[in-house]
């Protein structure tokens, strides 16, 4: 049996942002129709709390796909040459279960996460939103800039990062890449004050963004705090917002940005208006008024990885990209 191994560079090349946004739209439509199955992911932290490994199996009915992501998350890797998310997505063929591909999980996670925020932004942000604030300067910051530019007419960008030198590096590299005005700010408040799009993509464990700082009409993608113990938004930011999530069950299990305000009894579960499946299938009303503050809270779903990896595999098979290796044996 042949298994196709698709590394980081090939996976990135085969998954352009705008294409991935469409793949994610199709995936959430399938999810909303009940054509996807995935359990709550398992996350195992090393006893020294330096990093964790996550196991995320899933099945998708259309297109038919079966697989699992196994990835490590080492939040302290920003000061090293290593990405903070590394691993593999294993894709199995759905008729006989043979392993058809192993795809770089860092690449897929990087693109699909921002693509899902791009989809949420397309569905929730004001049409003319173009003043973007990004909190964080890592992999997701760069990917979210590309995603926001794919769905809205981004005119200018302000970036805040804990490490100010890394924010300046981001300004240099992203200005060269995209040719739009990007500046670094000393505080989160300065970054978000006039923004109509905000992306929070940090490893913060306590709130960095206060609801009081948000302008009427802004759309926020809150992406960083995707497992318990992490938080980027204060309670007021959630209470002031019309809240959507990627998948309600997963958000209520893992997103402390939502769970803490519920525990504090400032909001209840019904404060979450709906999920992306509801929005793409028109089962929930997104932005009701121009002045609404909309919030998309993302935790990341196994089925997003599966769909993106499957798409990359199909492209790679058509172009004969990646490397074929023998895996498994034929029955004699
Ligand atoms: P990177 O490691 O590339 O970047 C991490 C960023 O977070 C850096 O800007 C870093 O700042 C900042 N940061 C880390 N700790 C803190 C802190 N305590 N307070 C403020 N800022 C902090 O990671 P990624 O860009 O790949 O991911 C960003 C976040 O998004 C992570 O938390 C990750 O787990 C999460 N994520 C969520 C996904 C989802 O589906 N929702 C999917 C993928 C990632 P500095 O430069 O100062 O170190």
């Amino acid at each position: 049996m042949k298994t196709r191994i698709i590394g980081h560079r090939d996976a990135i090349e085969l998954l352009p942002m705008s294409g991935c946004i469409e793949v994610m739209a199709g995936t959430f439509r399938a999810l909303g129709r009940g054509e996807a199955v995935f359990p709550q992911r398992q996350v195992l932290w090393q006893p020294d709390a330096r990093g964790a490994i996550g196991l995320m199996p899933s099945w998708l009915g259309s297109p038919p796909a079966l697989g699992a992501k196994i990835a490590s998350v080492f939040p302290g890797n920003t000061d090293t040459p290593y990405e903070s998310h590394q691993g593999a997505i294993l894709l199995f063929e759905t008729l006989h279960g043979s392993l058809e591909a192993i795809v770089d999980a860092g690449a897929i996670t990087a693109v699909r996460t921002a693509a899902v925020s791009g989809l949420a932004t397309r569905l929730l942000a004001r049409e003319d939103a173009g003043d973007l604030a990004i909190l964080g300067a890592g992999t997701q910051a760069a990917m979210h800039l590309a995603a926001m530019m794919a769905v809205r007419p981004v005119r200018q960008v302000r970036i805040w990062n804990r490490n100010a030198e890394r924010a300046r590096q981001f300004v240099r590299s992203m200005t060269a890449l995209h040719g739009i005005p990007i500046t670094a700010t000393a505080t989160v408040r300065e970054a978000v004050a006039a923004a109509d799009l905000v992306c929070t993509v940090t490893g913060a464990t306590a709130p960095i963004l206060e609801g009081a700082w948000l302008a009427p009409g802004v759309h926020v993608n809150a992406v960083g705090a995707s497992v318990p113990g992490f938080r980027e938004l204060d309670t007021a930011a959630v209470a002031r917002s019309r809240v959507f999530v990627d998948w309600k069950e997963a958000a209520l299990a893992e997103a402390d940005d939502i769970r803490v305000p519920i525990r504090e009894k400032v909001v209840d579960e019904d404060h979450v208006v709906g999920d992306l499946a509801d929005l793409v299938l028109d089962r929930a009303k997104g932005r009701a008024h121009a002045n609404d503050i909309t919030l998309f809270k993302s935790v990341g779903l196994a089925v997003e990885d599966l769909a993106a990896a499957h798409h990359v595999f199909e492209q790679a098979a058509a172009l004969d990209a990646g490397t074929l290796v023998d895996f498994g044996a034929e029955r004699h």
Side-chain angles (χ1 to χ4, degrees):
M1 304 294 170
K2 296 285 185 200
T3 300
R4 192 173 292 274
I5 300 188
I6 306 169
H8 191 278
R9 188 178 308 173
D10 280 338
I12 292 280
E13 272 178 19
L14 295 170
L15 195 61
M17 186 58 69
S18 49
C20 191
I21 291 172
E22 298 315 323
V23 172
M24 291 302 112
T27 304
F28 279 97
R29 277 195 290 272
L31 179 53
R33 291 192 302 258
E35 294 167 15
V37 180
F38 52 94
Q40 186 54 43
R41 66 181 156 218
Q42 276 192 313
V43 180
L44 182 148
W45 283 90
Q46 277 190 172
D48 64 5
R50 196 181 160 84
I53 188 153
L55 174 60
M56 301 166 73
S58 62
W59 171 87
L60 185 62
S62 66
L66 176 70
K69 175 162 91 170
I70 303 180
S72 66
V73 181
F74 277 61
N77 277 359
T78 41
D79 289 323
T80 75
Y82 300 93
E83 291 276 277
S84 52
H85 292 247
Q86 302 167 86
I89 297 165
L90 308 184
L91 275 184
F92 296 86
E93 176 274 324
T94 56
L95 285 181
H96 302 101
S98 55
L99 180 65
E100 53 188 5
I102 301 175
V103 188
D104 185 287
I108 298 294
T109 306
V111 182
R112 68 75 160 148
T113 304
V116 169
S117 295
L119 175 64
T121 303
R122 193 163 81 185
L123 294 161
L124 293 170
R126 291 200 325 235
E127 286 292 334
D128 61 349
D131 187 299
L132 170 63
I134 299 178
L135 310 182
T139 303
Q140 284 304 327
M143 290 290 158
H144 273 72
L145 175 52
M148 296 304 103
M149 291 181 70
V151 297
R152 285 296 181 267
V154 175
R155 297 181 299 276
Q156 56 182 351
V157 183
R158 283 175 305 285
I159 176 157
W160 169 87
N161 192 51
R162 178 181 63 174
N163 175 325
E165 177 47 32
R166 245 194 298 276
R168 287 191 286 274
Q169 281 167 19
F170 183 95
V171 168
R172 286 192 291 274
S173 60
M174 291 296 126
T175 304
L177 186 64
H178 296 294
I180 53 170
I182 307 177
T183 50
T185 65
T187 65
V188 170
R189 190 174 189 163
E190 278 173 77
V192 303
D196 41 31
L197 292 172
V198 174
C199 298
T200 68
V201 282
T202 74
T205 50
I208 53 166
L209 176 60
E210 294 190 16
W213 301 337
L214 294 170
V218 65
H219 171 70
V220 180
N221 294 304
V223 174
S226 55
V227 288
F230 291 78
R231 210 177 159 205
E232 295 182 298
L233 313 176
D234 76 350
T235 294
V238 175
R240 285 190 72 191
S241 300
R242 196 168 161 79
V243 177
F244 295 84
V245 294
D246 37 13
W247 191 241
K248 195 164 178 178
E249 206 180 304
L252 293 176
E254 296 198 278
D256 280 357
D257 280 335
I258 307 284
R259 285 152 40 110
V260 173
I262 292 175
R263 259 200 316 267
E264 291 171 344
K265 297 197 179 344
V266 176
V267 299
D268 60 20
E269 289 185 9
D270 291 340
H271 190 63
V272 177
V273 180
D275 53 41
L276 280 184
D278 294 325
L279 283 171
V280 290
L281 293 175
D282 261 336
R283 296 192 303 217
K285 185 164 178 53
R287 170 174 293 278
H289 303 287
N291 276 349
D292 279 349
I293 295 176
T294 51
L295 166 64
F296 170 61
K297 176 61 212 154
S298 154
V299 291
L301 308 177
V303 73
E304 298 166 3
D305 296 304
L306 180 66
H310 184 265
H311 178 77
V312 163
F313 166 64
E314 285 196 322
Q315 308 294 309
L319 298 167
D320 198 20
T323 307
L324 287 176
V325 295
D326 280 319
F327 244 90
E330 282 181 33
R331 186 193 287 272
H332 291 292

